Amino acid sequence: MDPVDLALMLLRLAVGGTMIAHGVNHWRGGGKIAGTAGWFESLGLRHGTMQAWASVVTEIGAGVLLILGLITPLAAAAVVSVMLVAALLAHRPNGFFIFKDGWEYVMILAVVAVVLGVTGPGTISLDSALDIVYDGWVGGAVALGAGVLGTALLLAAFWRPQRDEAPADAEEEPTPEA
């Protein structure tokens, strides 16, 4: 067994298992689907229940596919997309560091997913067994490109953040005369 193939399998197991746990937590954890839906809506996403289920299915599905090493670039793209949405909507205002609820953690998962797209899943994978490995520039481009495109489409279709509006009775400040 090649050590690189073992390392790639361990990386897929770690990221895949993390994604499954994240999806199960959105589904069955604390607030369950209703709590996840409410949180998504508080971030400005419309149709919170649909978003919650889409997140659960995407996270669990991508995790399973990564563990199996099956259609790895597309599984990696799903991870990139979920993490990019999380970074932009939930973590960006908090800065970089995870101990301040920043985007550090989600960035690492997204970068590792792109790396798995570039390297491919290794020989200990269904992609390899089925001879459908897409790696290198193609795998990386699919992982990054489809992930970013998925994020852009989701935000364009469903992100409608609340805007702070000035109270109706607020007086306008006079403008200086020239």
Side-chain angles (χ1 to χ4, degrees), residues 75-144:
V79 173
V80 168
S81 186
V82 169
M83 294 300 116
L84 187 54
V85 169
L88 292 170
L89 300 188
H91 300 287
R92 181 180 45 88
N94 305 319
F96 178 74
F97 294 106
I98 189 64
F99 60 83
K100 293 183 178 181
D101 203 25
W103 49 272
E104 171 184 19
Y105 168 73
V106 295
M107 185 244 342
I108 291 297
L109 284 175
V111 169
V112 169
V114 172
V115 168
L116 283 170
V118 171
T119 62
T123 60
I124 310 167
S125 66
L126 286 179
D127 282 348
S128 180
L130 297 170
D131 197 27
I132 56 170
V133 173
Y134 291 93
D135 56 8
W137 291 111
V138 171
V142 168
L144 181 59

